[in-house]
Amino acid sequence: MSLRSSAGVLRASLALAMAVALAAHVGSPDVFRSGKAGPYAVDVVVRPPQVVPGIAEILVRVPDPRVTRVTVRPVYWRAGTRGAPSADDAKPVQGASGSFAGRLWLMAGGSYSVHVAVFGSAGTGTLVVPVGAVATGQLQLSPGLRWLLIALGTLLVAGVITAVHAAVGESQVPPGEPISRARRRRARVGAAIATPIMAMLVFGGARWWDAEATAYRRTLYRPMRTEAVVRDSAGVSTLMLRIADTNWREGRVSPLMPDHGKISHLFLARIDSVGVMAHLHPALVDFATLVTTLPPLPAGRYRLYADVVHETGFQRTLVDSIALAAPIAPAGVSRLDPDDAWFEGPIAVLPATRGVQVGDVAISWAGDPRPGAGKPGALRFSLRSVMGDSVRVEPYLGMAGHAVVIRQDGGVYIHLHPGGTSAMASEIAFTLRDRGDTTADGRLRLGDGTMPMGAEQVLSELSFPYAFPSAGRYRIWVQLRVRGRVRTAAWDVDVK
Ligand SMILES: [Cu+2]
């Protein structure tokens, strides 16, 4: 065991803190998925491990009384179902009917899908839940264990030297006889030789341990290095997000595939308390550069989050920030993607203000206005038309609604849909993969017709399964399309 210097420990814990703050889907590693497994409505929460290999916890809620058994099975992207371990039973949770808990060994870093199979009198169904296994942390020794190991190690080293001393010294002399001077000297020489050998072993062990720890830290998930530049020409502002990371540039990540017809879903949110947000869809102009025209946004500093999906089903968020000079000319509007939307307006502050009027649609915060961190549940919003009845919601990017959650310090960012945290493209990739549809190199291309674009629904509520990962002040943006227009509402909430 290495006796780490305090600087080393500090460095390691800094690396840990950073990694946790910047993990995939920034700072919010749990996976939420609500959907159907055959005839059964299922809510799944997966808590990926902080270290890989490691154990993910999975909680499955199926309130249907016809359900008799639930199994869970992790499928690694590269291995497919044929190379996956067999399914394990999720155990019924005592005192919570309809809840089943299980554990999943995730052996390698990368893209997984968890197959949740539900059995019951109405038949059998499976829900595929994409999970990205990334090492986000390094487990630290507790101080008690550290000192115990140091004490045991010292005892062991001292014991070995004493044993050598005895072996060449008094143990060679029959009991009762005096120990000669020469033998005493030989014992001392033996111990003197054993001491540097032990020191070298301890030193070598420490070097080996540090090398292993360094190798592991290299596998820790970090966001890709990016460079964001804004250019103005002829009254049109263009944002270029270049992925400068060596891993990306040298082709060590799999290519991107579109999610709902867009290669990236990019969010800009003003950093100060002003309510400005844009949801844009840049184009990939070369393998590492995303480009989009900017809508007329006010000057200021913005956080930038760009969601992308790899062909392996791995979801990634690129993180950056940009400063916009005052104010961007509206000339670029005609060049925007028809699905681009931006918002500038008041933010409702909870718990005082729940309801927001967006044109002819009233959207209200329907969940706990004083939510707590860590409790799996849902962000719920009620919808009312001017007549006081339900609202005809058109699909926006294939979904009934989108929610974006950002903690004020930028350390948490997540993009949610009524189905949960996973990108549709990611799930479809896994389903196709299991049909044997991918080519030998694991590459997959989703055609335009592959993705369901959703249908109009009459809704009185929108619900997004989620749990806030930590306490703090959050801003929650909700978007839905009604009568051809994207409606945006926003709330600020303190999470305890
Ligand atoms: Cu969305």
Side-chain angles (χ1 to χ4, degrees):
M1 200 208 72
S2 111
L3 312 180
R4 245 171 218 298
S5 67
S6 58
V9 171
L10 182 67
R11 232 178 302 131
S13 36
L14 273 178
L16 169 76
M18 278 179 59
V20 169
L22 300 171
H25 260 125
V26 192
S28 192
D30 292 0
V31 173
F32 297 85
R33 180 76 179 90
S34 293
K36 285 272 192 141
Y40 314 105
V42 184
D43 293 302
V44 181
V45 183
V46 180
R47 283 208 176 99
Q50 221 184 69
V51 294
V52 178
I55 295 171
E57 287 172 36
I58 179 164
L59 185 70
V60 181
R61 283 204 57 238
V62 225
D64 197 314
R66 298 170 297 177
V67 172
T68 52
R69 184 178 172 222
V70 172
T71 67
V72 293
R73 184 185 190 204
V75 178
Y76 190 47
W77 171 262
R78 262 184 236 164
T81 38
R82 254 172 278 167
S86 55
D88 281 332
D89 272 85
K91 304 270 178 319
V93 177
Q94 293 294 319
S97 78
S99 289
F100 297 80
R103 310 177 92 199
L104 306 159
W105 264 103
L106 305 185
M107 299 308 294
S111 193
Y112 275 88
S113 63
V114 176
H115 291 216
V116 178
V118 181
F119 303 83
S121 59
T124 305
T126 302
L127 183 66
V128 173
V129 183
V131 174
V134 290
T136 53
Q138 193 175 17
L139 299 180
Q140 296 292 321
L141 283 178
S142 68
L145 185 61
R146 180 191 308 272
W147 285 111
L148 181 69
L149 288 174
I150 289 174
L152 287 175
T154 312
L155 217 66
L156 184 71
V157 170
V160 168
I161 294 169
T162 312
V164 170
H165 186 274
V168 290
E170 55 194 297
S171 73
Q172 306 273 334
V173 181
E177 273 183 38
I179 304 162
S180 69
R181 251 178 140 186
R183 179 136 328 269
R184 277 183 203 282
R185 235 192 83 215
R186 208 177 301 168
R188 276 200 300 274
V189 170
I193 293 171
T195 305
I197 292 177
M198 286 309 289
M200 273 166 66
L201 281 174
V202 169
F203 182 69
R207 289 283 298 269
W208 168 79
W209 181 273
D210 282 346
E212 287 287 304
T214 308
Y216 176 77
R217 272 199 296 276
R218 263 200 281 271
T219 69
L220 283 182
Y221 179 85
R222 269 177 238 110
M224 290 275 167
R225 195 162 62 83
T226 52
E227 289 158 7
V229 186
V230 178
R231 290 224 177 92
D232 293 294
S233 96
V236 177
S237 294
T238 308
L239 167 70
M240 265 179 59
L241 183 68
R242 206 175 73 90
I243 302 151
D245 206 273
T246 308
N247 264 334
W248 191 292
R249 303 204 77 84
E250 292 185 354
R252 269 178 259 143
V253 291
S254 79
L256 300 181
M257 65 177 174
D259 184 31
H260 285 110
K262 318 288 182 195
I263 203 76
S264 173
H265 295 252
L266 185 147
F267 291 88
L268 290 174
R270 260 289 272 273
I271 288 178
D272 51 38
S273 63
V274 179
V276 184
M277 181 268 242
H279 176 176
L280 308 172
H281 302 93
L284 192 67
V285 294
D286 65 44
F287 75 106
T289 313
L290 292 163
V291 173
T292 176
T293 303
L294 286 174
L297 297 172
R301 220 172 157 78
Y302 289 75
R303 289 188 212 288
L304 182 163
Y305 300 97
D307 289 335
V308 294
V309 182
H310 290 273
E311 285 179 359
T312 57
F314 189 83
Q315 294 173 239
R316 183 189 299 280
T317 302
L318 304 166
V319 183
D320 212 320
S321 68
I322 53 164
L324 295 184
I328 285 179
V333 170
S334 62
R335 296 206 204 167
L336 291 171
D337 185 291
D339 286 320
D340 286 352
W342 65 100
F343 169 88
E344 189 184 345
I347 308 283
V349 180
L350 289 166
T353 312
R354 293 185 179 218
V356 176
Q357 190 73 36
V358 190
D360 50 1
V361 183
I363 309 174
S364 292
W365 181 277
D368 186 351
R370 290 186 178 82
K375 274 183 284 176
L379 305 178
R380 294 189 297 118
F381 304 90
S382 69
L383 309 176
R384 288 285 173 278
S385 71
V386 269
M387 309 299 289
D389 45 15
S390 305
V391 176
R392 252 174 215 290
V393 178
E394 295 153 14
Y396 173 39
L397 298 159
M399 299 286 177
H402 302 252
V404 173
V405 177
I406 300 176
R407 202 174 61 198
Q408 204 167 48
D409 63 359
V412 172
Y413 157 85
I414 198 152
H415 176 184
L416 301 166
H417 300 130
T421 51
S422 44
M424 180 70 71
S426 183
E427 276 174 44
I428 290 173
F430 275 106
T431 312
L432 291 175
R433 168 94 171 102
D434 277 341
R435 246 173 26 206
D437 229 329
T438 48
T439 56
D441 64 355
R443 293 203 57 179
L444 178 81
R445 284 163 219 283
L446 292 188
D448 276 350
T450 330
M451 207 155 293
M453 290 315 278
E456 189 179 277
Q457 298 175 67
V458 178
L459 297 175
S460 59
E461 188 178 283
L462 264 181
S463 173
F464 304 88
Y466 191 57
F468 292 100
S470 51
R473 194 169 178 79
Y474 287 80
R475 178 162 296 172
I476 293 127
W477 301 91
V478 175
Q479 293 191 306
L480 64 154
R481 175 135 61 188
V482 179
R483 270 187 274 281
R485 276 180 42 218
V486 175
R487 318 297 175 109
T488 305
W491 287 263
D492 275 349
V493 56
D494 279 315
V495 175
K496 299 270 145 25

